[in-house]
Amino acid sequence: MRVGVLTGGGDCPGLNAVMRAVVRKGVQEYDYEFLGFRDGWRGPLEGDTVRLDIPAVRGTLPRGGTILGSSRTNPFKEENGVRRIQDNLAKFEVDALIAIGGEDTLGVAARLTDEFGVKCIGVPKTIDNDLSATDYTFGFDTAVNVATEAIDRLHTTAESHMRVLVVEVMGRHAGWIALHSGLAGGANCILIPERRFDVDEVCGYVQSRFKASYAPIVVIAEGAMPKDGDMVLKDDSHDSFGHVRLSGVGEWLAKEIEKRTGKEARTTVLGHTQRGGTPTPFDRWLATRFGLHAIDAVRDEDWGKMVALEGTRIVRVPISEATAQLKTVDPELYEEASVFFG
Ligand code: F6P
């Protein structure tokens, strides 16, 4: 059996740990061969491959990024995309594919399996933690750690200058990173895409924090939206899956706070620092277990399935189930955090 592996979409810490586990178990226990495809779906589309064996994955457990490279290539937007992938899989004698990705990469894997019979197994990754059918995706814990450390650091500088610091975090249309890091970092308020925010209410929180002689830290998700307006964007370009590039709302909110309260307000956009660098122990643990179970799914020929975390157990679910709908923040969880606002 020869198994192809690819990593697609935004990179995130733990991708290499998955591949290391897949290859180690696949070679040692099942005598499989592996072939890496470069840059997500671009690899099988263009026949761009890379050696993937035990020496290639050695030493990669703590390494962020992906040794295979990644891209947001959508084969369904390319001429004869599916046929080209099928031809390349045949040319390289690849029997099955393990696709490690988020909503978009796995959405492609689901369609290739369900509609065209390509034998795919999915592994869920994304710092956004927005995939249904899994309690957590790896990468999320690392992103929350990076954001929390930044918030801790920003507290001391905000207090030295008695200014408002707005911290914009990633997460696309889900507020998980904002909610977890904001709660862990003691934010003055947390703004998430699932609940539109009122700028005057935010200004009220800010003023009350100053009254208590503390400087406020406002954590805002890049996809958060004001109550009486549209999404605020710095750049309105889209990627090949039709997603708009988010960011800009933090800067906009700081200006509004300054205008309405007269207090100096500055913004820190954490951006890709949340995706880079070494994975946390939790993410290494989760990524490794996903890898071990993904290769078992290949052995069982359980095509069209994705490995998922349910409590502490790794289970298999249809990829299409995980990609049908985004997992967003439950209003009750958000209410819980609001005790600390203001
Ligand atoms: O999905 C992961 C993510 O980091 C989102 O949080 C963010 O909106 C997006 O990717 C950024 O994408 P890119 O790296 O292509 O700018």
Side-chain angles (χ1 to χ4, degrees):
M1 167 89 83
R2 180 176 286 170
V3 184
V5 181
L6 63 87
T7 55
D11 70 329
C12 87
L15 289 165
N16 294 321
V18 177
M19 291 186 272
R20 170 178 170 272
V22 159
V23 172
R24 286 285 293 274
K25 189 164 188 184
V27 171
Q28 289 172 201
E29 297 201 6
Y30 305 137
D31 209 17
Y32 291 165
E33 282 180 22
F34 292 89
L35 189 66
F37 285 103
R38 282 189 212 272
D39 304 341
W41 290 110
R42 194 191 67 74
L45 199 62
E46 295 178 9
D48 193 353
T49 64
V50 58
R51 186 177 63 93
L52 192 63
D53 50 16
I54 290 183
V57 295
R58 225 172 236 133
T60 59
L61 177 62
R63 258 178 75 184
T66 160
I67 56 170
L68 294 183
S70 192
S71 75
R72 296 193 189 278
T73 306
N74 181 355
F76 290 101
K77 288 275 169 64
E78 304 285 330
E79 210 176 316
N80 298 321
V82 175
R83 169 51 58 86
R84 285 161 60 197
I85 287 179
Q86 288 170 322
D87 288 350
N88 280 321
L89 294 181
K91 175 175 155 196
F92 293 106
E93 297 176 345
V94 169
D95 306 294
L97 260 183
I98 295 182
I100 312 169
E103 179 204 357
D104 300 325
T105 304
L106 295 180
V108 170
R111 281 192 67 188
L112 286 177
T113 306
D114 298 346
E115 297 172 31
F116 302 94
V118 178
K119 297 170 177 170
C120 294
I121 296 296
V123 178
K125 67 89 223 183
T126 166
I127 63 162
D128 303 336
N129 199 37
D130 60 355
L131 273 174
S132 299
T134 183
D135 290 349
Y136 286 101
T137 50
F138 65 87
F140 172 65
D141 187 62
T142 306
V144 169
N145 269 267
V146 170
T148 305
E149 196 201 333
I151 296 166
D152 287 347
R153 288 175 184 278
L154 290 168
H155 272 296
T156 58
T157 168
E159 275 156 28
S160 303
H161 295 266
M162 279 318 231
R163 52 167 67 130
V164 186
L165 285 182
V166 176
V167 186
E168 185 189 284
V169 299
M170 281 185 165
R172 203 163 254 166
H173 303 296
W176 295 109
I177 298 176
L179 184 67
H180 283 230
S181 64
L183 206 56
N188 178 232
C189 73
I190 302 167
L191 308 174
I192 61 172
E194 292 83 347
R195 165 106 157 244
R196 283 181 177 255
F197 64 87
D198 181 305
V199 181
D200 287 327
E201 192 178 24
V202 174
C203 291
Y205 294 145
V206 160
Q207 301 277 33
S208 94
R209 187 58 65 111
F210 276 122
K211 277 199 198 110
S213 296
Y214 288 108
I217 304 281
V218 175
V219 173
I220 184 165
E222 60 181 3
M225 274 185 282
K227 230 174 200 158
D228 44 10
D230 289 333
M231 189 164 264
V232 184
L233 297 170
K234 212 172 53 198
D235 168 0
D236 62 3
S237 60
H238 290 69
D239 67 22
S240 69
F241 285 91
H243 299 295
V244 71
R245 288 184 211 283
L246 298 173
S247 186
V249 70
E251 193 71 49
W252 177 85
L253 180 63
K255 288 204 179 99
E256 286 300 314
I257 293 174
E258 206 164 85
K259 214 162 53 191
R260 298 183 198 199
T261 65
K263 300 282 187 190
E264 184 186 4
R266 305 279 281 274
T267 309
T268 303
V269 179
L270 296 182
H272 293 92
T273 58
Q274 295 157 99
R275 284 205 336 228
T278 188
T280 58
F282 177 84
D283 280 338
R284 295 181 205 187
W285 170 85
L286 182 58
T288 298
R289 292 193 67 208
F290 276 166
L292 297 174
H293 285 259
I295 199 63
D296 284 351
V298 170
R299 177 206 53 195
D300 296 343
E301 305 195 357
D302 207 358
W303 314 124
K305 293 288 171 55
M306 180 189 92
V307 290
L309 183 69
E310 200 181 272
T312 54
R313 279 182 340 123
I314 307 290
V315 297
R316 294 179 199 160
V317 296
I319 304 178
S320 47
E321 195 180 293
T323 52
Q325 190 183 340
L326 278 191
K327 182 180 72 185
T328 52
V329 172
D330 183 333
E332 273 179 30
L333 273 180
Y334 186 70
E335 279 312 315
E336 220 176 72
S338 67
V339 172
F340 300 100
F341 295 179

